[in-house]
Amino acid sequence: MSLKETFQARTALGCFSKTTDSAFVEACGYAGLDFIIIDMEHGPVSYETVHNHVRAAKLGGVHSIIRAKSNDEHSIGSALDSGADGVQVPNVNTVAQAKQAVSAAKFHPKGSRGVCRFVRAANFGTQDKSDYFSSANEKLLILQVEGVEGVNNLEEILAIPGIDVLFIGPYDLSQSVGKPGEVDAPEVTELMQKIAEQAKAADVALGTFCDSLENLKKFKQQGFDYIAYSVDVNIFTEACKFIFTSNRC
Ligand code: 3PY
């Protein structure tokens, strides 16, 4: 089942990855996550590591999404060249920025992504050309709206064809309203509610991030389609704290 089919049927659940060891990514697959977001915006990974993570995701049976370093042609094209199932683009605030992301992620006629068919995504040139160029345009494009400016332009952003998921970044949003880190502040939750209503009205799938089980439950109940819960290294450290510190005798 593709990731899109999964979130059309039920909430898809995954986490961010900020490790350089592909074993974590593979293990996330065995643990039953629907997706893993390999983070090039805030994580330490190089393109070489991204390629190994994408291979490990396939082996473990988890869909791989790359959060691009930034909203530019090279970051988005290179992320997709790795063969990942999709790309997530941070910090989209304007219609022009949203169109730029779509254009960088899609080949003609939907966009102007840089063409090279000798990349991992095209089995290093062995995939049938027409298959590659048509299937590449089906890769997921996830846009992050995480600032007040993006919220103000949301109706027009959501009308742009080619956006599979509108992803709210609660932490950046909290900074944008002057309360960095306070993701449960009413200013943030009200904006999130507004974004959720607009995305649903535009029939665009909705995603977000959370780092508490209460919010995970709340977002599932609110009908979010794609939820990233926390970060692999944080899940590991929280589990270690629970096992080794809380139970110390
Ligand atoms: C945010 O919360 O701002 C994000 O980008 C999720 O990591």
Side-chain angles (χ1 to χ4, degrees):
M1 203 189 231
S2 71
L3 183 52
K4 192 172 199 167
E5 287 165 339
T6 302
F7 65 66
Q8 283 170 343
R10 61 166 173 80
T11 307
L13 291 178
C15 73
F16 275 89
S17 172
K18 294 194 204 291
T19 57
T20 52
D21 187 342
S22 301
F24 270 90
V25 174
E26 187 185 347
C28 284
Y30 300 141
L33 276 69
D34 296 311
F35 63 88
I36 180 115
I37 307 171
I38 300 162
D39 192 3
M40 298 202 80
E41 186 196 10
H42 291 294
V45 290
S46 65
Y47 282 110
E48 185 180 341
T49 304
V50 163
H51 281 235
N52 287 329
H53 279 8
V54 171
R55 284 187 186 98
K58 189 148 183 85
L59 192 62
V62 59
H63 294 289
S64 54
I65 302 294
I66 312 298
R67 178 156 72 177
K69 268 183 203 294
S70 60
N71 183 4
D72 66 85
E73 199 181 333
H74 178 257
S75 301
I76 294 172
S78 301
L80 289 169
D81 284 348
S82 71
D85 297 299
V87 64
Q88 186 158 325
V89 180
N91 211 18
V92 174
N93 288 306
T94 64
V95 171
Q97 288 170 351
K99 284 186 177 164
Q100 177 176 314
V102 174
S103 176
K106 310 281 177 194
F107 293 123
H108 180 83
K110 294 183 174 170
S112 59
R113 175 176 160 193
V115 174
C116 177
R117 68 178 192 89
F118 304 99
V119 291
R120 191 176 174 276
N123 297 344
F124 306 109
T126 62
Q127 188 176 354
D128 177 79
K129 279 189 220 174
S130 60
D131 273 2
Y132 174 56
F133 290 109
S134 56
S135 62
N137 274 356
E138 299 307 311
K139 296 284 177 149
L140 288 179
L141 176 61
I142 299 159
L143 296 193
Q144 290 195 198
V145 166
E146 40 195 356
V148 173
E149 191 186 359
V151 181
N152 291 338
N153 292 320
L154 195 59
E155 206 178 322
E156 287 161 286
I157 291 174
L158 286 165
I160 297 166
I163 303 169
D164 295 297
V165 180
L166 193 286
F167 185 96
I168 308 171
Y171 273 96
D172 279 302
L173 206 52
S174 70
Q175 163 150 275
S176 171
V177 298
K179 297 201 159 178
E182 292 183 42
V183 290
D184 294 315
E187 294 89 331
V188 178
T189 54
E190 280 159 25
L191 277 182
M192 285 186 75
Q193 184 65 34
K194 187 175 164 194
I195 301 170
E197 283 162 15
Q198 281 185 266
K200 289 286 169 197
D203 205 20
V204 173
L206 187 63
T208 194
F209 172 80
C210 61
D211 54 5
S212 75
L213 290 173
E214 294 74 35
N215 280 347
L216 176 59
K217 196 171 162 198
K218 182 177 87 178
F219 294 143
K220 274 185 78 177
Q221 280 166 352
Q222 287 176 350
F224 277 76
D225 306 284
Y226 167 97
I227 304 176
Y229 174 78
S230 196
V231 173
D232 53 7
V233 277
N234 186 249
I235 293 169
F236 177 74
T237 48
E238 289 299 330
C240 286
K241 270 162 59 186
F242 179 73
I243 296 164
F244 300 106
T245 315
S246 315
N247 293 330
R248 192 173 285 150
C249 38

